[in-house]
């Protein structure tokens, strides 16, 4: 009887998976405008490597800026150009970027 109640309880519980925030996870969310493969191509074709100096122009969110900051890995400089009154810094705060990775981004 105890096994039946456990199976019944498990059957009606929603499945929840807790994941660490990552750029790939945000790209696959329904609100994202960039697919992970496209974001990877932009960063790769843009020749973004550790030590690069990069100019990033974004209009929506700062997902591309976060990907560039992660790729620079604390060396180099990324300048974000934005059209609103304040810079986009949503994903750079949510993601688990190190202090050195966040420090390369200039607004």
């Amino acid at each position: 009887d105890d096994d039946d109640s456990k199976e019944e309880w498990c059957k009606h519980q929603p499945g929840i998976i807790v994941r660490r925030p990552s750029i790939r996870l945000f790209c696959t969310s329904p609100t994202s405008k960039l697919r992970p493969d496209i974001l990877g191509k932009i960063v790769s074709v843009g020749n973004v490597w550790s030590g690069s100096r990069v100019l990033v122009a974004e209009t929506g969110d700062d997902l591309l800026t976060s990907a560039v900051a992660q790729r620079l890995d604390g060396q180099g400089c990324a300048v974000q150009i934005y059209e609103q009154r304040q810079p986009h810094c949503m994903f750079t705060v949510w993601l688990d970027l190190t202090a050195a990775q966040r420090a390369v981004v200039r607004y």
Side-chain angles (χ1 to χ4, degrees):
D1 189 5
D2 198 26
D3 291 335
D4 291 336
S5 64
K6 186 176 181 180
E7 287 179 18
E8 190 72 24
W9 181 79
C10 290
K11 186 168 92 175
H12 295 291
Q13 289 298 318
I16 297 174
I17 299 173
V18 179
R19 294 186 177 150
R20 174 179 241 164
S22 67
I23 293 173
R24 181 184 267 308
L25 184 65
F26 284 122
C27 279
T28 56
S29 74
T31 59
S32 177
K33 299 176 187 98
L34 281 174
R35 294 189 337 230
D37 59 329
I38 299 298
L39 182 63
K41 276 189 178 179
I42 291 171
V43 173
S44 180
V45 171
N47 212 11
V48 178
W49 300 103
S50 181
S52 300
R53 293 174 21 185
V54 183
L55 181 66
V56 182
E58 283 188 289
T59 57
D61 49 19
D62 64 330
L63 196 57
L64 180 61
T65 305
S66 300
V68 167
Q70 190 177 35
R71 176 68 74 92
L72 289 177
D73 199 31
Q75 298 178 354
C77 180
V79 177
Q80 183 192 40
I81 298 175
Y82 52 93
E83 60 183 349
Q84 286 82 11
R85 291 179 180 225
Q86 294 180 338
H88 308 288
C89 56
M90 181 174 61
F91 289 121
T92 52
V93 172
W94 287 352
L95 290 169
D96 194 20
L97 298 178
T98 64
Q101 288 173 334
R102 284 193 304 269
V104 298
V105 179
R106 308 274 192 267
Y107 300 101

